[in-house]
Amino acid sequence: MQDSRQAPAIRWYHERAEHVADDYESLSFPDVHNWLIDRLPPGGDSTVLDVGAGSGRDAAWLAERGHEVVAVEPAAALRREAARRHPHPRIRWLDDQLPGLEDVHRLGLCFDAILLSAVWMHVPQGQRARAFRKLITLLKPGGLLALTLRLGPEDPERGLRPVSVAELRQLAADHGACVDHVGESADALGRPEVYWAEVAIRLPSNRSAV
């Protein structure tokens, strides 16, 4: 069931699916996530969860390098557009969303890496502790949670809310995880009012998620 507080943002992407997909596809995975490439597990037997997978650009890049990808996208038209553009056998598409990710949890899988690219700012403040807990419990020991945070003006129509690295540091500490990378980058689409923080959080290899 969709959370009513997130529905306006989901609707925004649903109604603009082709335009949004064109924008995302104008950039490559290395254009946006070059900082992440060397932190990813090797392909072949790794599973990756892409939450808010958008146009499927990142899921496809991961699948082409041997990862098994579960791609979650709650905007129906955008999910269909992504599946049309990237019909890769290693991508499994799901209609699900934070904070609960109930359908992902029903799969019974644990992941080597979880990617949230331009997603965290859509999660309401009061739901972030639960959302983070749900994400961490889906990671294997030693697994990686990678997030990009949009730092710029709020946009209520799109459900864009303030985010911070400090909040993620505290959530990671609360769950016994460590932040092993923080960086900043300019907006790859050239918007001067927008910039991005990159955060890599890793679960210790000698313990399970809590």
Side-chain angles (χ1 to χ4, degrees):
M1 179 180 296
Q2 291 186 353
D3 188 300
S4 61
R5 287 169 290 183
Q6 288 193 337
I10 294 170
R11 184 167 58 249
W12 191 95
Y13 288 95
H14 174 78
E15 292 173 349
R16 297 161 177 81
E18 187 172 354
H19 174 72
V20 167
D22 285 344
D23 277 351
Y24 292 169
E25 295 291 322
S26 71
L27 302 168
S28 69
F29 186 98
D31 288 337
V32 181
H33 302 304
N34 191 56
W35 65 278
L36 179 57
I37 292 174
D38 289 341
R39 294 179 169 85
L40 289 169
D45 60 355
S46 297
T47 55
V48 179
L49 175 64
D50 185 4
V51 179
S55 71
R57 175 200 66 202
D58 297 344
W61 188 92
L62 291 162
E64 287 163 3
R65 280 148 188 84
H67 301 282
E68 295 293 331
V69 183
V70 175
V72 170
E73 176 51 56
L78 187 53
R79 187 175 63 254
R80 290 193 297 267
E81 182 69 14
R84 182 187 69 80
R85 294 183 186 224
H86 301 291
H88 200 289
R90 290 197 184 96
I91 302 175
R92 177 175 183 173
W93 285 95
L94 281 185
D95 176 10
D96 205 358
Q97 62 180 286
L98 291 167
L101 292 176
E102 287 88 357
D103 288 343
V104 175
H105 278 271
R106 288 189 192 102
L107 296 176
L109 298 175
C110 285
F111 297 90
D112 297 281
I114 300 175
L115 174 62
L116 277 79
S117 179
V119 170
W120 193 245
M121 71 277 191
H122 290 302
V123 181
Q125 181 75 35
Q127 297 180 9
R128 289 180 185 166
R130 180 186 178 213
F132 193 90
R133 174 173 56 83
K134 291 288 188 175
L135 291 164
I136 285 290
T137 57
L138 287 165
L139 276 178
K140 295 178 182 178
L144 175 72
L145 174 61
L147 307 94
T148 60
L149 306 182
R150 183 186 189 275
L151 305 176
E154 296 182 48
D155 186 341
E157 184 184 12
R158 291 179 61 189
L160 303 182
R161 300 170 172 88
V163 292
S164 71
V165 173
E167 177 188 43
L168 289 176
R169 286 188 185 278
Q170 184 60 58
L171 288 168
D174 291 345
H175 290 271
C178 63
V179 176
D180 67 11
H181 170 81
V182 174
E184 286 190 1
S185 59
D187 182 57
L189 291 172
R191 294 168 293 187
E193 75 280 8
V194 175
Y195 64 105
W196 297 86
E198 308 143 356
V199 183
I201 296 170
R202 195 171 292 278
L203 200 63
S205 58
N206 61 348
R207 59 171 292 173
S208 299
V210 295

